[in-house]
Amino acid sequence: MDCSEELNHAKEFQREFSWDVIAGHRERLMRLVRRRLPNAQDAEDCVQEAMLRAAAHGNLDHERIGPFLTSVALRLCVDHYREQERRRRLLRRAAEARVPELPDEGVCDQDFGRWLLGQVDLLRGRERQVVLARAQGISTLEFARMHQISVKAAEGAFTRGRARLRLVCARALDGVMA
């Protein structure tokens, strides 16, 4: 047997030994993951993935295999829930996709927007400036920099202006309802 054959034989023995050590943690990992994932198939997939990652890790110390597998399995559980949440949000957004609005609704919205923009002129100085800047797509931070004021002052002016506009809208709607 030459050196290359001995080296290959040693690597093969190392892989088999590693897999036996890794597979010895399977039941413990299943108990650990099964408590965290409601579906048995998901738990099995998670444990198999953790074991494959450990097997693929060539230079893993045999004494560290247990903690490594535990860490990977727990992270895979977290990844599972992240993916589930991502899908839930995507489905919610897809379900919220509105039916195209009727033309009269668009006309009413545009008319309300024009009326509301006219009400902005009734606001006081800084409040009017920041609300109009936001209507043009300028952020509160950019507005603060342009006018050399603190961000807190700009945010406060915007919040006060928006509150006054809400009050004007509420009063106008109460007048319509009466």
Side-chain angles (χ1 to χ4, degrees), residues 51-72:
M51 290 170 57
L52 284 173
R53 288 185 185 186
H57 200 290
N59 297 332
L60 189 60
D61 182 16
H62 292 295
E63 294 177 16
R64 297 287 307 147
I65 288 178
F68 178 82
L69 285 167
T70 301
S71 177
V72 170

Side-chain angles (χ1 to χ4, degrees), residues 1-8:
M1 199 183 272
D2 66 345
C3 286
S4 63
E5 287 179 16
E6 286 181 24
L7 185 59
N8 288 339

Side-chain angles (χ1 to χ4, degrees), residues 21-100:
V21 172
I22 292 168
H25 291 274
R26 185 182 180 288
E27 291 305 316
R28 180 183 63 81
L29 290 173
M30 278 302 291
R31 286 191 306 273
L32 178 78
V33 171
R34 191 66 179 105
R35 282 181 265 160
R36 288 165 175 77
L37 297 178
N39 188 333
Q41 290 83 11
D42 291 337
E44 179 68 33
D45 290 346
C46 179
V47 169
Q48 288 295 324
E49 177 70 21
M51 290 170 57
L52 284 173
R53 288 185 185 186
H57 200 290
N59 297 332
L60 189 60
D61 182 16
H62 292 295
E63 294 177 16
R64 297 287 307 147
I65 288 178
F68 178 82
L69 285 167
T70 301
S71 177
V72 170
L74 292 176
R75 288 180 181 151
L76 287 170
C77 290
V78 171
D79 290 347
H80 171 79
Y81 281 110
R82 282 186 185 140
E83 181 62 29
Q84 201 173 30
E85 177 64 17
R86 205 174 294 127
R87 284 183 188 151
R88 189 184 62 75
R89 279 183 289 163
L90 180 64
L91 285 173
R92 188 173 17 146
R93 275 186 287 184
E96 289 175 358
R98 295 185 343 160
V99 176

